[in-house]
Amino acid sequence: AQSVSQHNHHVILSEAASLELGCNYSYGGTVNLFWYVQYPGQHLQLLLKYFSGDPLVKGIKGFEAEFIKSKFSFNLRKPSVQWSDTAEYFCAVCGATNKLIFGTGTLLAVQP
Amino acid sequence: EPEVTQTPSHQVTQMGQEVILRCVPISNHLYFYWYRQILGQKVEFLVSFYNNEISEKSEIFDDQFSVERPDGSNFTLKIRSTKLEDSAMYFCASSGRGTTTDTQYFGPGTRLTVL
């Protein structure tokens, strides 16, 4: 069965710090990987996705993620966070069917 | 930018009552989904829907649940007889092509509280 693990449940950073959020998945076949973000009071929106090609994917607002197949990982990074990045971040995988399997989410709080 | 909308934002109901959660997907999308998130737990897939039929459903989506596209714009989730454990945030999503690489666009959610 497919599953997604996000190891960081709650991360607190100061502005300008670098961010890396871990995501590992379990699935035997070809996967498509997503990072969604939910800003306070808003709906889930796509940050970036990977389905083929360059394993380093760039998304909106300066975020990027790297797919490492050998490690079953798809970590999210941003070199310098801003207060406006405070949100909950969800990693998700889509396998043979188009249902999304989500991780538990990581709450990021950026202190000004 | 087109958005998925959901109504109501919060629904409170008594155990055993029927509830209908409503969603308006993005207008040119053909694939529709319901997910839910129980407080403190993961967002879980419930059901996907295409061409007026259920494409896939999870184990959670038992006989108490049903989905419908009653007209050209709405997509509804009905829970026939609510239980306490149905209390959750319910998210509707839609996508254009329904492929595994397609982006699913989510609505703001309906918080269902069953008393």
Side-chain angles (χ1 to χ4, degrees), chain B residues 31-50:
Chain B
Y31 296 82
F32 314 114
Y33 314 83
W34 283 101
Y35 293 82
R36 79 171 186 191
Q37 186 179 28
I38 295 172
L39 191 63
Q41 297 187 25
K42 296 184 181 187
V43 176
E44 304 171 286
F45 169 81
L46 291 178
V47 66
S48 57
F49 189 86
Y50 168 69

Side-chain angles (χ1 to χ4, degrees), chain A residues 4 32 36 49 95 97-98 100, chain B residues 35 56 98 100-101 103-104:
Chain A
V4 177
N32 303 294
Y36 279 84
K49 64 182 179 182
T97 68
N98 56 1
L100 287 169
Chain B
Y35 293 82
E56 185 176 359
T100 57
T101 62
T103 299
Q104 293 181 26

Side-chain angles (χ1 to χ4, degrees), chain A residues 2-59:
Chain A
Q2 300 168 52
S3 67
V4 177
S5 297
Q6 292 182 244
H7 311 296
N8 316 103
H9 297 296
H10 198 177
V11 173
I12 302 173
L13 294 173
S14 298
E15 275 194 314
S18 65
L19 170 72
E20 181 159 3
L21 301 182
C23 172
N24 287 91
Y25 66 91
S26 171
Y27 183 66
T30 302
V31 290
N32 303 294
L33 296 153
F34 303 79
W35 275 98
Y36 279 84
V37 61
Q38 188 172 29
Y39 297 102
Q42 296 188 29
H43 53 273
L44 283 162
Q45 52 187 286
L46 183 73
L47 264 183
L48 49 79
K49 64 182 179 182
Y50 171 81
F51 53 90
S52 67
D54 188 343
L56 184 62
V57 181
K58 294 196 184 300

Side-chain angles (χ1 to χ4, degrees), chain A residues 3 16 24 26 36 41 50 53 67-68 73-74 79 82-83 94 98 105:
Chain A
S3 67
N24 287 91
S26 171
Y36 279 84
Y50 171 81
F67 170 55
I68 303 180
S73 71
F74 189 56
Q82 301 171 310
W83 177 79
C94 204
N98 56 1

Side-chain angles (χ1 to χ4, degrees), chain B residues 10-65:
Chain B
H10 194 181
Q11 172 95 44
V12 180
T13 190
Q14 296 290 325
M15 191 169 58
Q17 294 297 304
E18 174 183 286
V19 293
I20 298 176
L21 308 183
R22 290 183 168 80
C23 168
V24 179
I26 293 173
S27 62
N28 60 349
H29 283 183
L30 302 175
Y31 296 82
F32 314 114
Y33 314 83
W34 283 101
Y35 293 82
R36 79 171 186 191
Q37 186 179 28
I38 295 172
L39 191 63
Q41 297 187 25
K42 296 184 181 187
V43 176
E44 304 171 286
F45 169 81
L46 291 178
V47 66
S48 57
F49 189 86
Y50 168 69
N51 199 25
N52 281 321
E53 287 185 351
I54 290 175
S55 306
E56 185 176 359
K57 60 183 181 180
S58 71
E59 291 174 355
I60 304 165
F61 195 89
D62 61 21
D63 292 344
Q64 291 300 313
F65 291 87

